[in-house]
Every structure is written in C-alpha cells, then in structure tokens.
Amino acid sequence: MSKKRTAVILGIVLVGVVAAGATTPAALPRENAVAGGLWTADDTLGEADGLIEEGEAVSPFADDLPAIANLDPELRSAMQNAARAAIDDGIEFVVTSGWRSAAYQQSLLDAAVIEYGSAEAAGEFVLSPEESEHVTGDAVDIGRTDADSWLSQHGAAYGLCQIYANEMWHFELATSPGGDCPAQLSHAGG
Ligand SMILES: [Zn+2]
C-alpha cells in the first residue's frame, strides 16, 4: 500500500522554526507546525472529511469546502468578518484546518500516538474525536503567523479567542464580541 503522507496543515512557519530548536519531540507544538506537522497515512480520507492538503492555501471564504462549510455558522461568520477587517490592515487569513470528520480526527490521533510513543503523550497535542472542537465545527486553525498575531490582538472583537497557549493558530468562539477571552490552557488535554 502506498504511504501517501498527507499533511494536515501548513501551519505557522515561525512556530515550526522555533520549535525545531527544542530538544525533545514532546516539546514541539505539533498540531499545525510546519516542521514536524501531523500527518495521516490514511488514503481513504479526502475533502469530504475536511482534509486540507499540505500547502493548500484555503480561503476563509471557501464555503464550498466541507472544512469551511461544516464549521458552526457563528464561528464561520466571525472568522469571515475578522478576515475582512484584517484585509483592510493588509493581512490575509488562510485556513489550515477547520471542521474535521471523526475519522479524520481519529487518524490524526493514531498518527500522533505513533509519533509520540504513547496515547498519553499524544493527548497533549491531538484530542480524540469525542473531545476535539474541530469535529463539532467549533474550532478553526488560521495561518499565517501575521494573521495569528492580528487575531490575538483583534479577535476578541469578533468573539474569537486563542484557547491553547501552545497553539497560536487555533481559535474558537469563546467570548461575546468585544468581551474578554478566557485564560488560555497550556495545551490541548491540559
Ligand atoms: Zn486547532
């Protein structure tokens, strides 16, 4: 069987570069990082699972793609409103991961268990299909680094908050527009 390795995410170059300097694999923020991003070898997964191929620059307005279309409508509209405002500041969003099918999430978890050597270690970086906010359509991963910086400054105006300290690209609707974002968790599963 061919081992077509499908990148989940392009992610954030700078995070990957910084992470590459870390001494242990477990120290790397892996969900989306370019250097050592998560992979799935599952050839049965496709666009209908929300798969976004490596290097694909998916627009936040690509409503025809399941990864975007299956997001919670409120999250999708908040992301798109923020993206429009960011364009005015010369910043372009790309979606590196949006909605994911349970099968897709499970394949990520399986790959992470292999990569990190145990389910416990993998759980810091990839949640199960039952736990992942991507599977319910309540989370979106945005790149590139300039977009993440913009969102960390302006996202709360749209209700968008960074949830995990080690995932600067992962945003959820976690406050009312103009409200305060909750304190960040150190990492997924933490
Ligand atoms: Zn995410």
Side-chain angles (χ1 to χ4, degrees), residues 11-26:
I12 296 97
V13 172
L14 285 182
V15 167
V17 169
V18 169
T23 51
T24 65

Side-chain angles (χ1 to χ4, degrees), residues 31-32 100 134 139-141 167 169-170:
E31 190 194 26
N32 292 359
R100 302 171 189 154
H134 284 279
V140 65
D141 297 341
E167 296 182 15
W169 48 84
H170 177 108

